[in-house]
Amino acid sequence: MQDVSYGASERSASRRLKLVPFLGLLLLCSAYIQGPIVKITDFPAAIAEMNHFGLSPAPLMAVGVILFELVASALVISGFLRWAAASALVIFTLLATFIALRFWELPVGMERAMAMNGFFEHLGLAGAFLLVAWHDLLKKPARS
């Protein structure tokens, strides 16, 4: 009888532990899920954002960003081609960071400080996605 309860407890703990990576990946991708949802619900604002950053054609760029972020997030969370999606999000995040958060061009003050914080937070996101890609590649069996 003791072995049965120990086994059930062990399975329960194992299920809870499997939830941790899922939640971590979901949280890591949260900005790449929330952003497209906002863009979809206010597409004119998404087009205005693309125009603001000089990306054209703005409607096509907005649709591309929406699709890219949602598909890449789904791949990272699901584990299917996780390394490739995480790597793509590294590149996307770095490009977006250097386009949108050029704090060094702003005058000293609150706006510059906020842009600088956002810039380094995005570098952290890119670093986290780089680690996800690396970890996923380490799990792959070696090819002969």
Side-chain angles (χ1 to χ4, degrees), residues 24-67:
L25 293 168
L26 181 63
L27 291 171
L28 181 60
C29 291
S30 64
Y32 303 89
I33 298 168
Q34 173 269 341
I37 291 170
V38 169
K39 285 176 178 62
I40 290 167
T41 58
D42 189 359
F43 196 68
I47 293 171
E49 180 183 21
M50 298 302 135
N51 283 325
H52 173 77
F53 292 116
L55 302 173
S56 64
L60 186 60
M61 293 297 290
V63 169
V65 167
I66 289 167
L67 291 174

Side-chain angles (χ1 to χ4, degrees), residues 128-144:
F129 280 114
L130 184 62
L131 289 172
V132 167
W134 174 71
H135 183 266
D136 197 56
L137 285 171
L138 285 179
K139 292 187 335 183
K140 304 289 181 212
R143 293 189 176 108
S144 312

Side-chain angles (χ1 to χ4, degrees), residues 5-39:
S5 66
Y6 177 74
S9 174
E10 190 175 86
R11 284 190 301 275
S12 176
S14 175
R15 276 191 298 256
R16 284 192 305 269
L17 285 176
K18 287 180 182 178
L19 188 61
V20 172
F22 171 79
L23 287 175
L25 293 168
L26 181 63
L27 291 171
L28 181 60
C29 291
S30 64
Y32 303 89
I33 298 168
Q34 173 269 341
I37 291 170
V38 169
K39 285 176 178 62

Side-chain angles (χ1 to χ4, degrees), residues 64-85:
V65 167
I66 289 167
L67 291 174
F68 172 78
E69 288 183 312
L70 289 175
V71 169
S73 294
L75 293 174
V76 167
I77 293 166
S78 72
F80 182 73
L81 293 175
R82 178 177 287 146
W83 68 270

Side-chain angles (χ1 to χ4, degrees), residues 64-128:
V65 167
I66 289 167
L67 291 174
F68 172 78
E69 288 183 312
L70 289 175
V71 169
S73 294
L75 293 174
V76 167
I77 293 166
S78 72
F80 182 73
L81 293 175
R82 178 177 287 146
W83 68 270
S87 298
L89 282 166
V90 169
I91 295 165
F92 174 83
T93 302
L94 290 174
L95 288 172
T97 300
F98 281 95
I99 290 170
L101 296 167
R102 297 185 306 245
F103 68 89
W104 54 89
E105 294 178 354
L106 299 173
V108 175
M110 181 60 74
E111 188 179 355
R112 179 184 178 127
M114 290 178 68
M116 185 185 305
N117 286 341
F119 180 90
F120 286 99
E121 287 169 359
H122 281 77
L123 291 184
L125 275 172

